[in-house]
Amino acid sequence: MALISPCPTFPALAIFVLALGVQPVHSASPRLKVLIIDGQNNHAWKETTPILQEILEMSGRFEVEVATTPPQGGDMTAFKPDFSKYAVVVSNYNGDPWSKETSEAFEKFVHDGGGFVSYHAADNAFPEWHQYNQMIAVGGWGNRKAPEAGSMIRLRDDEVRVEPTPGRCGNHGARLPFVVTMRERRHPIVKGLPRMWKHAPDELYDSLCGPAADFDLLGTAHSTSQNRGTNEDEPMLLAIRYARGRVFHTTLGHDVAAMHCVGFIATLMRGTEWAATGRVTIPVPADFPSSDRMSIRK
């Protein structure tokens, strides 16, 4: 297992934080320890992991390390992070199954109260791992099919339903801007956010399926048939309870360009803090996007 923890210089950090409109919080308090897992993915993890790390560290709330698995086909028994050292694990991983020892250690970590963040294609991972699919509520691809792999989350007359809709799980159209609508506005992660905000061009995941239990649907986006979608309001942001643990599931952030959206940045920061502690102290930035205006940080 390789551990890396590059840290941006203070001037770069200060410029980014001031531009974002977020002041570092609890700078005098111990930072929450975060482990990002990467190493295999059908997405460009070598590009996105440093951005995840930079976003979290620039909040002033987190201390981040990275655990990189062996490459595809490698000896996964060598990948044995000590999850107990961390308040929250962020997955940027979609690849070979972990060893039984590591999988059971991760299950215990979350079951006993550890935090977990499933970022974008991490919900494509481990289709055969039942406990993992419980943690993320819904996932896609990996030969997942409904109803065998579970149900889909649907809005019907503004009520959240779980429906065993038959079909292949996991789809997206071209990367275009879309509006994210907040559905559970009292939840700490999204409290204070605009009801609707325009996200940068990104993959809008649709038709995700899974156990879909013990979740709060925080945000959706409408998947249009004009962009090879479902004409359904699809889940984008979820908060999930797994035993004593908390899981924040974001489908957003396909690439570096999408990760520059202030909506992605703020929800990642706040979702990670909630997964770690059950509370959110990171403020909503002043330049958070509105329903008709994207907000991008280069």
Side-chain angles (χ1 to χ4, degrees), residues 77-127:
T77 62
F79 178 67
K80 298 187 291 187
D82 182 358
F83 298 114
S84 66
K85 292 169 52 179
Y86 305 96
V88 57
V89 172
V90 178
S91 179
N92 188 15
Y93 182 85
N94 176 27
D96 291 343
W98 298 344
S99 68
K100 184 173 185 290
E101 177 185 359
T102 299
S103 299
E104 290 180 350
F106 183 67
E107 289 172 22
K108 184 177 188 305
F109 167 75
V110 182
H111 181 279
D112 292 350
F116 173 39
V117 175
S118 173
Y119 154 66
H120 195 59
D123 68 14
N124 300 184
F126 309 126

Tab-separated table of all heavy atoms in Angstrom, residues 77-127:
chain	number	residue	atom	x	y	z
A	77	THR	N	-3.973	-8.783	-1.568
A	77	THR	CA	-3.734	-9.056	-0.146
A	77	THR	C	-2.732	-8.070	0.441
A	77	THR	O	-2.633	-7.931	1.658
A	77	THR	CB	-3.231	-10.494	0.069
A	77	THR	OG1	-1.975	-10.664	-0.597
A	77	THR	CG2	-4.236	-11.510	-0.455
A	78	ALA	N	-1.974	-7.388	-0.412
A	78	ALA	CA	-1.015	-6.388	0.066
A	78	ALA	C	-1.688	-5.075	0.452
A	78	ALA	O	-1.053	-4.215	1.066
A	78	ALA	CB	0.037	-6.133	-1.012
A	79	PHE	N	-2.958	-4.927	0.089
A	79	PHE	CA	-3.689	-3.688	0.383
A	79	PHE	C	-4.442	-3.872	1.698
A	79	PHE	O	-5.483	-4.528	1.742
A	79	PHE	CB	-4.655	-3.376	-0.764
A	79	PHE	CG	-5.501	-2.152	-0.536
A	79	PHE	CD1	-4.926	-0.893	-0.494
A	79	PHE	CD2	-6.876	-2.257	-0.376
A	79	PHE	CE1	-5.697	0.236	-0.286
A	79	PHE	CE2	-7.656	-1.145	-0.162
A	79	PHE	CZ	-7.070	0.114	-0.119
A	80	LYS	N	-3.896	-3.308	2.777
A	80	LYS	CA	-4.471	-3.514	4.107
A	80	LYS	C	-4.434	-2.219	4.920
A	80	LYS	O	-3.694	-2.118	5.898
A	80	LYS	CB	-3.705	-4.621	4.847
A	80	LYS	CG	-3.754	-5.977	4.175
A	80	LYS	CD	-3.127	-7.053	5.057
A	80	LYS	CE	-1.632	-6.858	5.178
A	80	LYS	NZ	-0.988	-7.993	5.900
A	81	PRO	N	-5.207	-1.207	4.541
A	81	PRO	CA	-5.203	0.035	5.329
A	81	PRO	C	-5.721	-0.210	6.743
A	81	PRO	O	-6.581	-1.067	6.963
A	81	PRO	CB	-6.165	0.947	4.557
A	81	PRO	CG	-6.382	0.298	3.240
A	81	PRO	CD	-6.168	-1.155	3.433
A	82	ASP	N	-5.210	0.557	7.672
A	82	ASP	CA	-5.742	0.538	9.042
A	82	ASP	C	-6.853	1.582	9.104
A	82	ASP	O	-6.615	2.746	9.427
A	82	ASP	CB	-4.634	0.842	10.042
A	82	ASP	CG	-5.117	0.778	11.482
A	82	ASP	OD1	-6.328	0.527	11.702
A	82	ASP	OD2	-4.294	0.989	12.391
A	83	PHE	N	-8.070	1.184	8.778
A	83	PHE	CA	-9.185	2.128	8.714
A	83	PHE	C	-9.434	2.816	10.048
A	83	PHE	O	-9.933	3.944	10.084
A	83	PHE	CB	-10.456	1.407	8.253
A	83	PHE	CG	-10.362	0.821	6.876
A	83	PHE	CD1	-10.399	-0.558	6.688
A	83	PHE	CD2	-10.227	1.632	5.765
A	83	PHE	CE1	-10.317	-1.105	5.413
A	83	PHE	CE2	-10.143	1.094	4.484
A	83	PHE	CZ	-10.183	-0.278	4.304
A	84	SER	N	-9.091	2.165	11.143
A	84	SER	CA	-9.375	2.718	12.467
A	84	SER	C	-8.623	4.023	12.730
A	84	SER	O	-8.957	4.756	13.669
A	84	SER	CB	-9.029	1.703	13.554
A	84	SER	OG	-7.630	1.454	13.593
A	85	LYS	N	-7.624	4.338	11.926
A	85	LYS	CA	-6.857	5.575	12.107
A	85	LYS	C	-7.604	6.800	11.599
A	85	LYS	O	-7.174	7.929	11.839
A	85	LYS	CB	-5.522	5.472	11.373
A	85	LYS	CG	-4.547	4.473	11.938
A	85	LYS	CD	-3.368	4.250	11.001
A	85	LYS	CE	-2.690	5.534	10.567
A	85	LYS	NZ	-1.535	5.264	9.666
A	86	TYR	N	-8.721	6.586	10.901
A	86	TYR	CA	-9.367	7.684	10.180
A	86	TYR	C	-10.798	7.911	10.658
A	86	TYR	O	-11.477	6.990	11.120
A	86	TYR	CB	-9.356	7.391	8.674
A	86	TYR	CG	-7.955	7.129	8.165
A	86	TYR	CD1	-7.483	5.825	8.047
A	86	TYR	CD2	-7.099	8.176	7.856
A	86	TYR	CE1	-6.190	5.568	7.615
A	86	TYR	CE2	-5.802	7.933	7.419
A	86	TYR	CZ	-5.349	6.629	7.308
A	86	TYR	OH	-4.066	6.383	6.895
A	87	ALA	N	-11.244	9.158	10.501
A	87	ALA	CA	-12.637	9.480	10.802
A	87	ALA	C	-13.541	9.146	9.627
A	87	ALA	O	-14.724	8.845	9.814
A	87	ALA	CB	-12.774	10.957	11.153
A	88	VAL	N	-12.978	9.183	8.409
A	88	VAL	CA	-13.806	8.989	7.218
A	88	VAL	C	-12.913	8.480	6.084
A	88	VAL	O	-11.747	8.867	5.964
A	88	VAL	CB	-14.531	10.303	6.820
A	88	VAL	CG1	-13.565	11.432	6.585
A	88	VAL	CG2	-15.438	10.110	5.616
A	89	VAL	N	-13.479	7.599	5.265
A	89	VAL	CA	-12.824	7.072	4.079
A	89	VAL	C	-13.560	7.591	2.850
A	89	VAL	O	-14.798	7.510	2.783
A	89	VAL	CB	-12.819	5.526	4.074
A	89	VAL	CG1	-12.313	4.991	2.739
A	89	VAL	CG2	-11.983	4.992	5.234
A	90	VAL	N	-12.820	8.124	1.884
A	90	VAL	CA	-13.372	8.599	0.616
A	90	VAL	C	-12.903	7.638	-0.469
A	90	VAL	O	-11.700	7.439	-0.654
A	90	VAL	CB	-12.909	10.031	0.292
A	90	VAL	CG1	-13.451	10.482	-1.068
A	90	VAL	CG2	-13.346	10.995	1.388
A	91	SER	N	-13.835	7.033	-1.196
A	91	SER	CA	-13.465	6.080	-2.240
A	91	SER	C	-13.489	6.715	-3.620
A	91	SER	O	-14.513	7.218	-4.066
A	91	SER	CB	-14.395	4.861	-2.233
A	91	SER	OG	-14.015	3.977	-3.283
A	92	ASN	N	-12.331	6.664	-4.270
A	92	ASN	CA	-12.193	7.004	-5.682
A	92	ASN	C	-11.733	5.734	-6.404
A	92	ASN	O	-10.831	5.761	-7.228
A	92	ASN	CB	-11.158	8.127	-5.853
A	92	ASN	CG	-11.112	8.673	-7.279
A	92	ASN	OD1	-12.010	8.441	-8.081
A	92	ASN	ND2	-10.039	9.382	-7.597
A	93	TYR	N	-12.406	4.629	-6.073
A	93	TYR	CA	-11.947	3.301	-6.499
A	93	TYR	C	-13.060	2.550	-7.206
A	93	TYR	O	-14.202	2.509	-6.747
A	93	TYR	CB	-11.508	2.490	-5.278
A	93	TYR	CG	-10.965	1.120	-5.633
A	93	TYR	CD1	-9.636	0.953	-5.991
A	93	TYR	CD2	-11.784	0.001	-5.619
A	93	TYR	CE1	-9.130	-0.302	-6.337
A	93	TYR	CE2	-11.299	-1.257	-5.965
A	93	TYR	CZ	-9.977	-1.393	-6.322
A	93	TYR	OH	-9.487	-2.629	-6.671
A	94	ASN	N	-12.692	1.923	-8.320
A	94	ASN	CA	-13.585	1.017	-9.025
A	94	ASN	C	-12.708	-0.003	-9.728
A	94	ASN	O	-12.157	0.275	-10.798
A	94	ASN	CB	-14.453	1.778	-10.030
A	94	ASN	CG	-15.336	0.857	-10.848
A	94	ASN	OD1	-15.702	-0.225	-10.393
A	94	ASN	ND2	-15.685	1.281	-12.053
A	95	GLY	N	-12.524	-1.178	-9.093
A	95	GLY	CA	-11.607	-2.147	-9.673
A	95	GLY	C	-11.740	-3.513	-9.051
A	95	GLY	O	-12.837	-3.926	-8.653
A	96	ASP	N	-10.620	-4.224	-8.960
A	96	ASP	CA	-10.613	-5.594	-8.455
A	96	ASP	C	-11.159	-5.657	-7.030
A	96	ASP	O	-10.982	-4.709	-6.246
A	96	ASP	CB	-9.185	-6.145	-8.448
A	96	ASP	CG	-8.630	-6.364	-9.841
A	96	ASP	OD1	-9.430	-6.396	-10.795
A	96	ASP	OD2	-7.396	-6.500	-9.967
A	97	PRO	N	-11.825	-6.757	-6.669
A	97	PRO	CA	-12.283	-6.921	-5.284
A	97	PRO	C	-11.111	-6.842	-4.301
A	97	PRO	O	-9.996	-7.276	-4.606
A	97	PRO	CB	-12.904	-8.325	-5.278
A	97	PRO	CG	-13.233	-8.606	-6.705
A	97	PRO	CD	-12.192	-7.912	-7.523
A	98	TRP	N	-11.372	-6.262	-3.138
A	98	TRP	CA	-10.380	-6.279	-2.071
A	98	TRP	C	-10.322	-7.675	-1.460
A	98	TRP	O	-11.214	-8.496	-1.668
A	98	TRP	CB	-10.755	-5.261	-0.989
A	98	TRP	CG	-10.784	-3.853	-1.479
A	98	TRP	CD1	-10.236	-3.357	-2.628
A	98	TRP	CD2	-11.419	-2.743	-0.835
A	98	TRP	NE1	-10.484	-2.013	-2.733
A	98	TRP	CE2	-11.194	-1.605	-1.655
A	98	TRP	CE3	-12.137	-2.597	0.358
A	98	TRP	CZ2	-11.683	-0.337	-1.312
A	98	TRP	CZ3	-12.614	-1.343	0.707
A	98	TRP	CH2	-12.394	-0.225	-0.124
A	99	SER	N	-9.290	-7.914	-0.688
A	99	SER	CA	-9.188	-9.199	-0.002
A	99	SER	C	-10.307	-9.329	1.026
A	99	SER	O	-10.905	-8.333	1.464
A	99	SER	CB	-7.839	-9.323	0.703
A	99	SER	OG	-7.769	-8.405	1.790
A	100	LYS	N	-10.601	-10.544	1.419
A	100	LYS	CA	-11.620	-10.794	2.437
A	100	LYS	C	-11.274	-10.054	3.730
A	100	LYS	O	-12.139	-9.450	4.365
A	100	LYS	CB	-11.748	-12.293	2.701
A	100	LYS	CG	-12.855	-12.694	3.668
A	100	LYS	CD	-12.977	-14.211	3.715
A	100	LYS	CE	-14.169	-14.645	4.580
A	100	LYS	NZ	-13.949	-14.386	6.008
A	101	GLU	N	-10.005	-10.078	4.113
A	101	GLU	CA	-9.578	-9.397	5.344
A	101	GLU	C	-9.852	-7.905	5.274
A	101	GLU	O	-10.397	-7.312	6.213
A	101	GLU	CB	-8.086	-9.651	5.572
A	101	GLU	CG	-7.515	-8.939	6.783
A	101	GLU	CD	-6.014	-9.105	6.911
A	101	GLU	OE1	-5.410	-9.800	6.063
A	101	GLU	OE2	-5.424	-8.537	7.859
A	102	THR	N	-9.500	-7.280	4.147
A	102	THR	CA	-9.694	-5.836	4.012
A	102	THR	C	-11.171	-5.479	3.896
A	102	THR	O	-11.633	-4.496	4.496
A	102	THR	CB	-8.919	-5.319	2.791
A	102	THR	OG1	-7.525	-5.590	2.988
A	102	THR	CG2	-9.117	-3.832	2.590
A	103	SER	N	-11.935	-6.279	3.151
A	103	SER	CA	-13.370	-6.016	3.021
A	103	SER	C	-14.063	-6.090	4.375
A	103	SER	O	-14.884	-5.230	4.719
A	103	SER	CB	-13.999	-7.021	2.050
A	103	SER	OG	-13.436	-6.912	0.768
A	104	GLU	N	-13.734	-7.117	5.165
A	104	GLU	CA	-14.355	-7.260	6.489
A	104	GLU	C	-13.928	-6.140	7.420
A	104	GLU	O	-14.732	-5.654	8.233
A	104	GLU	CB	-14.008	-8.620	7.067
A	104	GLU	CG	-14.709	-9.775	6.336
A	104	GLU	CD	-14.350	-11.137	6.912
A	104	GLU	OE1	-13.410	-11.215	7.748
A	104	GLU	OE2	-15.023	-12.127	6.531
A	105	ALA	N	-12.679	-5.693	7.309
A	105	ALA	CA	-12.227	-4.580	8.147
A	105	ALA	C	-12.965	-3.292	7.792
A	105	ALA	O	-13.321	-2.498	8.675
A	105	ALA	CB	-10.722	-4.391	7.976
A	106	PHE	N	-13.227	-3.089	6.498
A	106	PHE	CA	-13.958	-1.894	6.079
A	106	PHE	C	-15.411	-1.957	6.541
A	106	PHE	O	-15.965	-0.960	7.027
A	106	PHE	CB	-13.889	-1.744	4.560
A	106	PHE	CG	-14.555	-0.501	4.055
A	106	PHE	CD1	-14.037	0.752	4.342
A	106	PHE	CD2	-15.716	-0.574	3.288
A	106	PHE	CE1	-14.656	1.909	3.880
A	106	PHE	CE2	-16.335	0.565	2.825
A	106	PHE	CZ	-15.804	1.818	3.121
A	107	GLU	N	-16.039	-3.113	6.404
A	107	GLU	CA	-17.404	-3.271	6.898
A	107	GLU	C	-17.487	-2.940	8.380
A	107	GLU	O	-18.396	-2.225	8.829
A	107	GLU	CB	-17.884	-4.707	6.685
A	107	GLU	CG	-18.156	-5.083	5.244
A	107	GLU	CD	-18.427	-6.580	5.097
A	107	GLU	OE1	-18.810	-7.204	6.103
A	107	GLU	OE2	-18.234	-7.112	3.990
A	108	LYS	N	-16.540	-3.443	9.157
A	108	LYS	CA	-16.541	-3.191	10.601
A	108	LYS	C	-16.329	-1.713	10.889
A	108	LYS	O	-16.984	-1.141	11.779
A	108	LYS	CB	-15.451	-4.018	11.281
A	108	LYS	CG	-15.439	-3.901	12.803
A	108	LYS	CD	-14.383	-4.787	13.425
A	108	LYS	CE	-14.522	-4.816	14.948
A	108	LYS	NZ	-14.510	-3.483	15.562
A	109	PHE	N	-15.439	-1.084	10.133
A	109	PHE	CA	-15.167	0.341	10.319
A	109	PHE	C	-16.445	1.162	10.173
A	109	PHE	O	-16.774	1.993	11.029
A	109	PHE	CB	-14.113	0.792	9.304
A	109	PHE	CG	-13.966	2.276	9.178
A	109	PHE	CD1	-13.314	3.007	10.151
A	109	PHE	CD2	-14.475	2.951	8.068
A	109	PHE	CE1	-13.169	4.388	10.027
A	109	PHE	CE2	-14.345	4.318	7.929
A	109	PHE	CZ	-13.681	5.043	8.919
A	110	VAL	N	-17.182	0.951	9.083
A	110	VAL	CA	-18.401	1.733	8.862
A	110	VAL	C	-19.495	1.293	9.829
A	110	VAL	O	-20.198	2.133	10.413
A	110	VAL	CB	-18.871	1.622	7.399
A	110	VAL	CG1	-20.113	2.491	7.171
A	110	VAL	CG2	-17.765	2.045	6.436
A	111	HIS	N	-19.654	-0.007	10.035
A	111	HIS	CA	-20.679	-0.521	10.944
A	111	HIS	C	-20.536	0.084	12.339
A	111	HIS	O	-21.524	0.416	12.995
A	111	HIS	CB	-20.577	-2.041	11.027
A	111	HIS	CG	-21.599	-2.678	11.912
A	111	HIS	ND1	-21.464	-2.734	13.290
A	111	HIS	CD2	-22.785	-3.302	11.626
A	111	HIS	CE1	-22.511	-3.340	13.803
A	111	HIS	NE2	-23.321	-3.693	12.817
A	112	ASP	N	-19.305	0.254	12.791
A	112	ASP	CA	-19.059	0.727	14.148
A	112	ASP	C	-19.022	2.239	14.276
A	112	ASP	O	-18.716	2.764	15.344
A	112	ASP	CB	-17.751	0.138	14.679
A	112	ASP	CG	-17.825	-1.365	14.898
A	112	ASP	OD1	-18.941	-1.920	14.822
A	112	ASP	OD2	-16.771	-1.983	15.142
A	113	GLY	N	-19.319	2.960	13.187
A	113	GLY	CA	-19.447	4.410	13.292
A	113	GLY	C	-18.518	5.214	12.422
A	113	GLY	O	-18.539	6.451	12.479
A	114	GLY	N	-17.684	4.563	11.611
A	114	GLY	CA	-16.814	5.305	10.714
A	114	GLY	C	-17.580	5.942	9.573
A	114	GLY	O	-18.657	5.483	9.192
A	115	GLY	N	-17.023	7.002	9.008
A	115	GLY	CA	-17.657	7.686	7.892
A	115	GLY	C	-17.152	7.168	6.567
A	115	GLY	O	-16.014	6.699	6.440
A	116	PHE	N	-17.986	7.256	5.543
A	116	PHE	CA	-17.634	6.794	4.202
A	116	PHE	C	-18.224	7.755	3.180
A	116	PHE	O	-19.381	8.163	3.306
A	116	PHE	CB	-18.158	5.370	3.986
A	116	PHE	CG	-18.000	4.828	2.591
A	116	PHE	CD1	-16.870	5.088	1.843
A	116	PHE	CD2	-18.995	4.044	2.024
A	116	PHE	CE1	-16.727	4.592	0.558
A	116	PHE	CE2	-18.869	3.531	0.744
A	116	PHE	CZ	-17.725	3.807	0.006
A	117	VAL	N	-17.412	8.133	2.186
A	117	VAL	CA	-17.878	8.955	1.067
A	117	VAL	C	-17.659	8.176	-0.215
A	117	VAL	O	-16.525	7.801	-0.538
A	117	VAL	CB	-17.135	10.303	1.000
A	117	VAL	CG1	-17.554	11.090	-0.247
A	117	VAL	CG2	-17.398	11.124	2.264
A	118	SER	N	-18.733	7.911	-0.948
A	118	SER	CA	-18.662	7.280	-2.252
A	118	SER	C	-18.691	8.382	-3.293
A	118	SER	O	-19.690	9.084	-3.451
A	118	SER	CB	-19.846	6.325	-2.455
A	118	SER	OG	-19.875	5.832	-3.777
A	119	TYR	N	-17.564	8.531	-4.005
A	119	TYR	CA	-17.409	9.612	-4.992
A	119	TYR	C	-17.533	9.060	-6.411
A	119	TYR	O	-16.777	8.177	-6.819
A	119	TYR	CB	-16.061	10.304	-4.763
A	119	TYR	CG	-15.483	10.973	-5.991
A	119	TYR	CD1	-16.115	12.071	-6.581
A	119	TYR	CD2	-14.310	10.502	-6.571
A	119	TYR	CE1	-15.590	12.668	-7.719
A	119	TYR	CE2	-13.774	11.096	-7.699
A	119	TYR	CZ	-14.414	12.176	-8.274
A	119	TYR	OH	-13.902	12.759	-9.409
A	120	HIS	N	-18.483	9.561	-7.142
A	120	HIS	CA	-18.716	9.290	-8.562
A	120	HIS	C	-18.647	7.793	-8.861
A	120	HIS	O	-19.493	7.032	-8.404
A	120	HIS	CB	-17.751	10.104	-9.414
A	120	HIS	CG	-18.158	10.165	-10.870
A	120	HIS	ND1	-19.363	10.668	-11.289
A	120	HIS	CD2	-17.507	9.762	-11.999
A	120	HIS	CE1	-19.451	10.600	-12.608
A	120	HIS	NE2	-18.340	10.041	-13.066
A	121	ALA	N	-17.619	7.320	-9.589
A	121	ALA	CA	-17.610	5.939	-10.068
A	121	ALA	C	-17.356	4.915	-8.981
A	121	ALA	O	-17.383	3.713	-9.260
A	121	ALA	CB	-16.575	5.771	-11.184
A	122	ALA	N	-17.143	5.352	-7.724
A	122	ALA	CA	-17.077	4.369	-6.633
A	122	ALA	C	-18.392	3.618	-6.505
A	122	ALA	O	-18.416	2.510	-5.954
A	122	ALA	CB	-16.728	5.054	-5.308
A	123	ASP	N	-19.486	4.193	-7.015
A	123	ASP	CA	-20.753	3.462	-6.970
A	123	ASP	C	-20.896	2.475	-8.136
A	123	ASP	O	-21.905	1.797	-8.263
A	123	ASP	CB	-21.956	4.402	-6.884
A	123	ASP	CG	-22.197	5.230	-8.140
A	123	ASP	OD1	-21.621	4.920	-9.207
A	123	ASP	OD2	-22.971	6.201	-8.065
A	124	ASN	N	-19.859	2.371	-8.958
A	124	ASN	CA	-19.805	1.312	-9.969
A	124	ASN	C	-19.133	0.055	-9.410
A	124	ASN	O	-19.187	-1.009	-10.026
A	124	ASN	CB	-18.989	1.745	-11.191
A	124	ASN	CG	-19.513	2.970	-11.925
A	124	ASN	OD1	-18.952	3.333	-12.943
A	124	ASN	ND2	-20.546	3.634	-11.428
A	125	ALA	N	-18.444	0.191	-8.277
A	125	ALA	CA	-17.565	-0.859	-7.764
A	125	ALA	C	-18.353	-1.964	-7.048
A	125	ALA	O	-19.484	-1.761	-6.600
A	125	ALA	CB	-16.552	-0.253	-6.800
A	126	PHE	N	-17.712	-3.131	-6.952
A	126	PHE	CA	-18.129	-4.235	-6.086
A	126	PHE	C	-19.596	-4.645	-6.233
A	126	PHE	O	-20.345	-4.686	-5.241
A	126	PHE	CB	-17.860	-3.872	-4.617
A	126	PHE	CG	-16.472	-3.388	-4.337
A	126	PHE	CD1	-16.258	-2.169	-3.698
A	126	PHE	CD2	-15.366	-4.143	-4.681
A	126	PHE	CE1	-14.979	-1.715	-3.419
A	126	PHE	CE2	-14.072	-3.709	-4.413
A	126	PHE	CZ	-13.872	-2.484	-3.777
A	127	PRO	N	-20.051	-4.972	-7.423
A	127	PRO	CA	-21.465	-5.339	-7.584
A	127	PRO	C	-21.871	-6.575	-6.783
A	127	PRO	O	-23.043	-6.719	-6.448
A	127	PRO	CB	-21.601	-5.586	-9.089
A	127	PRO	CG	-20.218	-5.860	-9.567
A	127	PRO	CD	-19.329	-5.031	-8.708
